[in-house]
Amino acid sequence: MGSSIDIRLETLTGPRGVSAGWPSNGKAFFIETFGCQMNVHDSEKVAGVLLARGYQQVDQPDAADVVFYNTCSIREKAAQKVFSRLGKFRPGHAPEKIIGVLGCVAQQEGEEIFERAPWVSLVCGSASYRKLPDLLAQIESGSRRVMGLDLDVEETFETEVTRRDNPFRAYLTIIEGCDKACTYCVVPFTRGPERSRASASILEEVRQLVDFGYSEIQLLGQTVNSYRDPSARRMAFAELLAGVAQVRGIRRVRFTTSHPRDFHPEIVQAIEAIPAICNHVHLPVQSGSTRVLAAMKRTYTREQYLEKIALIRRAKRPISITSDIIVGFPGETESEFEETLSLLDLAQYDGGFSFKFSPRPNTPAQHMADSVSEEEKGRRLAVLQEKQRAVQLARNEALAGQTFEVLVDGRSSRAEQWAGRTSCNRVLNFTSPGASLLGQYVQVKVSRAGPNSLVGERTS
Ligand code: SAM
Ligand code: SF4
């Protein structure tokens, strides 16, 4: 990427919303995002594309000429949300508005969206975002229906302008798409094959982010550690982590999501050696049963996964571990579910997300007999979450008395109450008098713990 510009939301608010300082075209856009962090960051880039064309950003669809929904189809509930949003614009309600559907539902449903919601003008999947400026140009010159649904196999989505929403942490996609083939997952279908960005371009953007005031970077990818530098430099993922952490001005580097198969000792060694690489790994297991893992095509057994956990727990620096788990995968028996529960005891996760299996279009698991009833999936999820809550509470309570550096990113409505994140990705709430601490690094001693956050006192 040549020279690019980053715009933070709070810096450029004009009468109708956020503008990039480009000559205004007098029109405004609204974008709502569903789903994962990668979608959130894609929306930041889409907003950049629109700002560079003279649109201004507004925070209400009613005030917008262009309304975009950046959608998620990972589970059925998420996919349904966009159709309920689109329902608000039935013909005649807002004929002058341009409505666009982006992201995974766009890729999955394609032209069908025009059938279900004829008032939609643009449908574009994330693997075609490079074409967005062209698609917008076609709409601006009067086309009523445009589509971008190719799964580009070479290109990544790079923009001249990115409008970053989070003033304290900058997200940066280093690998798009996914080449794994988990049988329950729509991502390989909706986001296309893996494409990594060249390391020099990533490092250049990190330097620009520092110039813009960021000290914390989060590297993103569906399988971030499957990164393969396409340039002659052939930087390995762990080297890239080190390279980003060593950019002058960078204090924290995060990365998500790691796939267990590509999680190698070099990543742990990099975290041990370089304090700026945050001591947190998100390493989804999905199930504790080797049979279910094979049916999911996760490419590792329970034992191989637990070896990765042991590798991380042996590190010289404590590293927190979080996970994703699916309950009620087709054919999951009670005893296989109990294997997942027993894995929670062994893995001792510091946090995570858990879901009921949701059959998705175009995935092999859609055609497997969905043997677990909705009610039983709900029961398993509740049991699992209760157990994980107890694990987290115990792990958090063990931190009482320790002091952590936090980057302050929130302020409570109560006076002098602040929230920050530790390097190990825990939320730490604390009291401190005085001026705004937002964006600052401060030391906080933990006094109390709950399952999802810590409470402490500022020490410096
Ligand atoms: N790429 C990451 C990985 O491999 O772990 C995360 C992909 S996905 C955006 C986030 C999580 O959604 C997955 O880890 C999985 O637990 C969950 N998920 C994906 N497909 C699902 C499905 N069909 N039903 C329920 N949960 C699902
Ligand atoms: Fe989906 Fe599996 Fe790829 Fe993650 S690794 S995005 S779960 S296919």
Side-chain angles (χ1 to χ4, degrees):
M1 186 151 121
S3 113
S4 70
I5 298 165
D6 287 277
I7 298 162
R8 290 205 231 178
L9 188 61
E10 83 277 24
T11 53
L12 283 156
T13 304
R16 247 193 119 183
V18 178
S19 89
W22 269 262
S24 167
N25 67 6
K27 294 187 175 153
F29 74 96
F30 166 84
I31 185 163
E32 183 175 358
T33 310
F34 302 92
C36 67
Q37 204 50 59
M38 296 201 62
N39 260 13
V40 171
H41 184 42
D42 281 346
S43 288
E44 292 181 333
K45 293 196 266 185
V46 170
V49 169
L50 285 152
L51 289 164
R53 297 183 78 83
Y55 289 85
Q56 292 184 304
Q57 184 163 14
V58 290
D59 58 9
Q60 290 299 327
D62 291 349
D65 306 285
V66 175
V67 175
F68 278 171
Y69 294 109
N70 189 1
T71 60
C72 170
S73 63
I74 200 82
R75 283 166 294 276
E76 198 183 346
K77 261 194 192 153
Q80 280 164 354
K81 275 189 197 153
V82 65
F83 288 105
S84 88
R85 290 291 194 281
L86 291 175
K88 293 190 187 128
F89 297 99
R90 288 183 178 285
H93 273 210
E96 71 294 348
K97 278 194 206 304
I98 291 169
I99 317 280
V101 179
L102 309 176
C104 293
V105 175
Q107 190 66 47
Q108 189 179 287
E109 304 287 323
E111 234 168 323
E112 293 268 306
I113 293 179
F114 294 134
E115 305 281 313
R116 283 180 74 172
W119 49 96
V120 169
S121 317
L122 180 146
V123 171
C124 184
S126 71
S128 294
Y129 283 163
R130 245 177 6 103
K131 302 198 181 77
L132 254 189
D134 286 347
L135 297 176
L136 278 167
Q138 289 174 37
I139 288 199
E140 284 158 359
S141 54
S143 296
R144 269 311 292 165
R145 281 187 177 172
V146 295
M147 273 199 309
L149 295 174
D150 295 341
L151 292 176
D152 280 342
V153 286
E154 299 296 334
E155 301 292 335
T156 52
F157 178 39
E158 309 209 10
T159 53
E160 302 255 307
V161 180
T162 300
R163 202 295 318 278
R164 294 188 194 266
D165 286 335
N166 186 323
F168 312 114
R169 177 189 294 173
Y171 296 100
L172 206 157
T173 300
I174 63 165
I175 171 169
E176 291 178 9
C178 182
D179 279 353
K180 311 287 186 287
C182 304
T183 53
Y184 52 81
C185 184
V186 287
V187 169
F189 177 75
T190 57
R191 288 188 164 268
E194 274 174 20
R195 287 98 66 206
S196 294
R197 272 179 72 180
S199 52
S201 156
I202 295 168
L203 290 166
E204 175 58 23
E205 190 168 349
V206 172
R207 283 188 281 273
Q208 288 171 355
L209 288 166
V210 170
D211 288 345
F212 199 68
Y214 284 101
S215 59
E216 178 171 318
I217 305 285
Q218 181 155 336
L219 305 180
L220 297 177
Q222 289 295 345
T223 53
V224 72
N225 56 327
S226 308
Y227 175 80
R228 290 170 77 118
D229 186 359
S231 68
R233 208 165 164 187
R234 294 275 178 265
M235 231 183 192
F237 175 66
E239 286 176 80
L240 180 69
L241 277 181
V244 173
Q246 281 154 3
V247 169
R248 186 189 288 268
I250 288 297
R251 285 182 68 161
R252 286 184 171 184
V253 185
R254 300 185 183 278
F255 55 100
T256 198
T257 296
S258 293
H259 192 285
R261 194 192 71 187
D262 296 332
F263 195 87
H264 303 303
E266 293 76 15
I267 302 174
V268 174
Q269 286 155 13
I271 297 174
E272 284 177 326
I274 305 174
I277 304 178
C278 290
N279 53 343
H280 167 223
V281 176
H282 185 57
L283 195 71
V285 66
Q286 312 299 357
S287 168
S289 149
T290 294
R291 195 210 57 85
V292 174
L293 288 171
M296 289 176 163
K297 284 214 167 48
R298 283 294 287 181
T299 70
Y300 50 83
T301 62
R302 171 188 172 98
E303 289 68 31
Q304 286 165 337
Y305 179 85
L306 285 170
E307 278 165 26
K308 307 276 175 173
I309 296 287
L311 167 77
I312 300 170
R313 294 282 181 225
R314 277 197 302 272
K316 294 185 198 110
R317 191 177 158 207
I319 298 176
S320 71
I321 310 175
T322 53
S323 188
D324 293 346
I325 292 175
I326 297 174
V327 299
F329 186 77
E332 182 191 69
T333 63
E334 179 62 26
S335 74
E336 286 166 344
F337 169 63
E338 280 165 16
E339 286 186 75
T340 301
L341 293 180
S342 74
L343 185 127
L344 293 191
D345 285 326
L346 298 171
Q348 289 288 302
Y349 291 122
D350 298 276
F353 304 98
S354 42
F355 313 97
K356 293 192 274 187
F357 167 71
S358 167
R360 305 308 298 129
N362 306 306
T363 63
Q366 181 194 13
H367 305 295
M368 298 178 185
D370 194 358
S371 56
V372 188
S373 69
E374 265 313 291
E375 194 188 352
E376 177 58 14
K377 282 182 197 166
R379 186 195 69 81
R380 289 183 190 177
L381 188 67
V383 170
L384 181 107
Q385 290 181 340
E386 192 49 42
K387 186 171 183 70
Q388 178 53 29
R389 212 178 129 81
V391 171
Q392 274 171 229
L393 181 61
R395 291 189 67 77
N396 283 349
E397 281 175 340
L399 301 178
Q402 292 188 33
T403 299
F404 290 92
E405 181 187 73
V406 300
L407 170 56
V408 184
D409 59 6
R411 159 196 268 161
S412 133
S413 48
R414 273 181 291 162
E416 304 182 340
Q417 296 275 309
W418 305 91
R421 235 167 234 277
T422 64
S423 169
C424 62
N425 208 31
R426 285 183 166 84
V427 174
L428 179 39
N429 300 296
F430 64 101
T431 310
S432 175
S436 176
L437 295 176
L438 288 174
Q440 290 186 32
Y441 291 87
V442 300
Q443 299 289 324
V444 181
K445 186 172 177 184
V446 177
S447 51
R448 283 185 292 125
N452 298 313
S453 61
L454 307 170
V455 178
E457 298 298 324
R458 185 177 173 192
T459 60
S460 76

